[in-house]
Amino acid sequence: KRSSTVPLLPIVLYPDPVLLEATEAVDEVDAEVRRLVRNMVDTMYAAPGIGLAANQIGVPARVCIVDLTAGEKSGELKVLINPEVKAIDGSQIGEEGCLSFPDITLEIERPLRTTIEALDLDGAKYVIEADGLLARAMLHEIEHLEGHTFLRNISPVRREMVKRRIRKRIKAGDWIAAVAP
Ligand code: ZN
C-alpha cells in the first residue's frame, strides 16, 4: 500500500528517447536521490512490476530497483545506485516483460548468475550475487540504465516484428502505461 506523499511519475513507454540514452552516474546519494528511489518504488508497486530503472520514469540517473515479490513481501527490495556488473556466468532462457512495453513478453537469454557492485541508500558500496530470476531482473534493469531495452537481445527479424506490433498499437491508441499521467 502507498503511504508516501511523493506523487507518482508516469512510466515512460518505448520508444521514448530517455529509454534509448545511457543514464548518468549519481554523484552523491543525497535526499534528492532518496526521493527519486521512493518515487520509483511507489511507481513499481503501483504498476505492479518487479523492476524499474530511473529512466523508465523519465529521470536519466543510474539508479534501478528490483523486488521479485512486487512489494508483496517486505525485505525483498533491492536498490542499486550506480550499479556495475562485475561478473556473469552461465546462461538461462526465460520470458520477460517490461513496464515500458505493456503486454509484451519476450523470450530472452541472459546469464544465469551475476555479481553486481552498487551503492545503497546510505551511499555505501555493496556487492550482490544473484542467480536465476533475480539475476535476470537486475541485468534487465541495468540494460535500461545503459540506454538499451530487452529488444537488444532478440534477433533482428523478431525485433522488427515486435516494433511493427508496437507501431500498430501506438496508432490504435493501445500503448498505455500501467502508471499513466
Ligand atoms: Zn524493462
Side-chain angles (χ1 to χ4, degrees), residues 142-170:
I142 291 170
E143 187 168 74
H144 276 301
L145 299 179
E146 274 149 19
H148 299 293
T149 71
F150 65 171
L151 290 185
R152 169 172 77 159
N153 307 296
I154 59 177
S155 73
V157 172
R158 262 195 71 52
R159 194 180 306 133
E160 277 318 304
M161 281 173 49
V162 174
K163 283 183 176 178
R164 201 175 318 134
R165 227 162 95 203
I166 292 170
R167 281 196 294 270
K168 269 193 195 155
R169 284 183 51 192
I170 291 172

Side-chain angles (χ1 to χ4, degrees), residues 56 98-99 140-141 144:
Q56 287 185 280
C98 180
L99 291 175
H140 175 115
E141 297 314 323
H144 276 301

